[in-house]
Amino acid sequence: MKIAIVGSRGIPAAYGGFETFAENISAQLRDIGHEVSVVGEKGSNITQGKFHGIRIIESAYRKGESPLKFYYDSLKKASFEHDILLVCGVGGAPFYPIIRKKRNIIVSNVDGLEHLRDKYSFLQKTYVRIAQKFASKYSDFLVADAKALASFWIQKQNVPSSRLKIIPYGTHKPAGFNPDVLREYGLQNKEYYILVARFVPENHILEIAEGFRVSGTKKKILIIGTHENTEYSEMVLKYKSENILMPGAQYHREKLDSLRAGAFAYLHGHSVGGTNPSLLESMSAGTVCICHDNPFNREVNGEGQLYFRNSIELAERIKRLESKSEQETSEYCKKSMQRIKDFYTWNNAANSYNTLFRELNG
């Protein structure tokens, strides 16, 4: 079967969740025996149009600069020779009726509740809502990565449950722990917290920085993420200090694995994105995760874990965790790692997609 993954910036992953998804699912589907292509944005530096046996199709546009042109061009190029178009997000859905060829089966991975993202303007949120309607009507099938997300599409978009399937994301096995990586950042093992996220309001970085400050902890916090030129980023950066470190983005997987493994705990503020890869990676690394309290994070990390709704609650959770013994804190880690094994592997995700594609393709 010929499968094209459309809508991400491309592989190898160097931006966010969709890129991580595209890189891992494409490799798994390739190993199953499918011919897999990934459509990426303009500027791909993959030589010979291949990445580990995955065909790379380059759009004529960059997603961040011309998103609508990117979606249209990517979908059009993928439609000519592929049986399945696995589309990341709904941004390109208004183009489905235009680009669809008779042989195409369009499967939309609907991502999170994009219309709730504070970083978007009123016009952008309006477009997202329109795109959601098109995705509901013109997708052959929809995939949600979380039960809470599926509920939105069934209840608010009137998508029949027979046209929607829940397939959780997966995560990779950590590469291991390299103490040299910690030294690069001036950190000591288990003497710091970590947060990996883009500087946008729905990731609650501001509340996390304030809660960390109020807690009075002697440990440091390493906030890994892009410093976008926005008012919100400027507000967050004001918290930068000797103990609140903000070195910028880091996309090197092995380094991130070591930073997560060496952390005392991971602070996770994402609130609208469904199953978040960074949370899965921290759980897989055996790190205690203190998460923003919302249905997505509770679904992933389960009950009996630590959650917060605001900076005051986060400060209390930090104090509570630091008062516990090593044996007590290890119980949080064991529960998280077991959930990864049970529900969140790329192998499980790929097998679910493979079954779905074969059913849809007859």
Side-chain angles (χ1 to χ4, degrees), residues 310-360:
N310 51 52
S311 58
I312 300 301
E313 286 191 358
L314 175 60
E316 189 279 328
R317 302 299 184 268
I318 288 174
K319 292 176 183 177
R320 183 195 303 180
L321 183 62
E322 292 189 4
S323 70
K324 292 183 178 293
S325 67
E326 184 176 343
Q327 182 177 353
E328 288 175 315
T329 58
S330 69
E331 289 302 313
Y332 291 118
C333 304
K334 290 177 182 177
K335 290 179 182 178
S336 294
M337 293 175 75
Q338 189 60 50
R339 288 188 67 80
I340 292 294
K341 293 178 182 178
D342 291 343
F343 304 111
Y344 299 103
T345 69
W346 286 120
N347 185 58
N348 287 346
N351 286 335
S352 295
Y353 274 105
N354 180 51
T355 299
L356 173 62
F357 294 160
R358 293 193 183 283
E359 290 173 353
L360 293 174

